[in-house]
Amino acid sequence: MRDAVGSFVGWPSDLIFPDAETPTRPTHKVGKGISRRIESVASQKEVPGRKLKSAAKDIPTTSGTKSQIMMRLEKMVDESDIMHGAIRTIDFDEGVFGAAHFEIIGKEDFQQLFEHTELGIAVIHTYIWYMYVTLMRENELCNRFNFIAASRINATLITKNPTSVKNDLVDRFMAGGDNTTPSLYFLPFNSGNGGHWVLVAMDLSRLIVYYLDSLSGDWSKYPNMKKTVDAAIIKFRTKKNYRNRKDITWIRVQCPQQNN
């Protein structure tokens, strides 16, 4: 992952905010539970072959030399009670995922970073929480960028109950406001195949879905994921009485690639 830092991908210019102010610290709110509804919506077709330009590069197969920051973190954790079974609880306010959430971080989560193994949901969510608190909370970015909990939308859950997952996704969209101006919903999606992660970014106003994958291929590898995302977007727009003026467009964004 370290070698992917600093890579650049093409992105809509109106979704870039170089002058965002440092957010202030708000009070935490108590979120409401996510309700579930049942309704079937047909999936939309994608427009294949479109890509955004990027400075793509291969991700090395070996971890290489650890950074100074990683070594200091590893030393700090090694000297703490975490290595002896203690845990840390992180409370997320409802601004992160649209409802109150928490994660429990323990020894195994740090080891995923130190040993370069597959990252679990707790690590992914904690990083999202850090980005939200550090860069977004109580400023304009909160209205333009939203996150979806990977624990609610993933390949395993879609296989078990696709309708419930679709409705959870619709509820997240509803919690985000009117979505009539360009904004992105980021979904880190776990394929359920060896812990591989892809990133899906949804623009509800433009009916565009951006897809980033460090392995070759596109969204066609996960047809159930695409069908669920498309159905959720259409259902959300129907509930808001927005006209579905065109099909949903899926765009693969070039990003750093792993070679095994």
Side-chain angles (χ1 to χ4, degrees):
M1 289 181 63
R2 183 185 69 251
D3 297 273
V5 175
S7 300
F8 296 91
V9 297
W11 210 249
S13 60
D14 60 326
L15 295 177
I16 299 175
F17 299 88
D19 297 321
E21 297 178 355
T22 302
T24 57
R25 183 179 182 181
T27 57
H28 288 266
K29 300 178 180 179
V30 178
K32 298 180 179 179
I34 299 178
S35 60
R36 298 184 177 186
R37 308 174 188 86
I38 299 177
E39 180 178 337
S40 177
V41 180
S43 176
Q44 300 296 297
K45 67 179 181 180
E46 72 278 5
V47 178
R50 294 183 59 187
K51 293 184 179 180
L52 299 183
K53 294 189 295 181
S54 71
K57 62 181 181 180
D58 285 341
I59 299 174
T61 58
T62 57
S63 59
T65 304
K66 291 184 178 180
S67 68
Q68 292 293 321
I69 292 177
M70 185 65 76
M71 287 190 293
R72 287 198 296 270
L73 175 61
E74 192 167 2
K75 183 175 185 296
M76 180 183 72
V77 172
D78 189 55
E79 295 174 349
S80 74
D81 57 357
I82 291 177
M83 298 305 291
H84 302 286
I87 59 174
R88 300 290 186 271
T89 301
I90 302 176
D91 292 317
F92 295 45
D93 65 51
E94 62 183 17
V96 182
F97 291 133
H101 183 85
F102 74 92
E103 288 293 343
I104 297 176
I105 301 295
K107 174 182 176 180
E108 63 278 6
D109 301 302
F110 286 99
Q111 288 176 328
Q112 292 170 10
L113 292 175
F114 300 151
E115 299 172 8
H116 294 265
T117 59
E118 291 90 350
L119 299 180
I121 284 177
V123 175
I124 298 293
H125 282 179
T126 301
Y127 183 61
I128 289 173
W129 167 82
Y130 178 78
M131 286 194 295
Y132 174 83
V133 171
T134 305
L135 302 174
M136 297 173 54
R137 190 159 61 183
E138 287 199 339
N139 65 36
E140 184 184 1
L141 296 183
C142 281
N143 299 323
R144 306 302 297 275
F145 301 102
N146 304 275
F147 298 104
I148 299 168
S151 56
R152 306 298 297 245
I153 318 290
N154 55 63
T156 301
L157 294 179
I158 289 175
T159 300
K160 292 180 178 178
N161 195 336
T163 301
S164 176
V165 173
K166 178 191 70 176
N167 291 334
D168 277 356
L169 194 50
V170 172
D171 289 337
R172 178 64 185 102
F173 295 155
M174 296 294 288
D178 60 10
N179 294 290
T180 55
T181 57
S183 62
L184 290 175
Y185 283 81
F186 291 100
L187 167 62
F189 180 81
N190 192 280
S191 67
N193 181 19
H196 181 65
W197 292 93
V198 302
L199 180 64
V200 178
M202 293 158 273
D203 184 336
L204 304 185
S205 66
R206 291 170 170 157
L207 290 177
I208 294 176
V209 178
Y210 300 99
Y211 176 88
L212 292 88
D213 190 348
S214 61
L215 292 176
S216 61
D218 59 19
W219 50 85
S220 61
K221 294 187 294 184
Y222 313 113
N224 291 336
M225 178 271 289
K226 181 188 179 300
K227 181 178 180 180
T228 301
V229 168
D230 285 348
I233 293 175
I234 295 303
K235 181 176 179 179
F236 162 76
R237 293 182 61 87
T238 300
K239 287 172 67 71
K240 299 290 283 187
N241 294 319
Y242 299 151
R243 186 165 61 94
N244 295 311
R245 61 191 181 282
K246 60 178 181 179
D247 291 337
I248 298 171
T249 300
W250 283 66
I251 300 175
R252 179 183 171 98
V253 180
Q254 294 178 4
C255 62
Q257 297 291 290
Q258 58 191 90
N259 46 28
N260 68 16

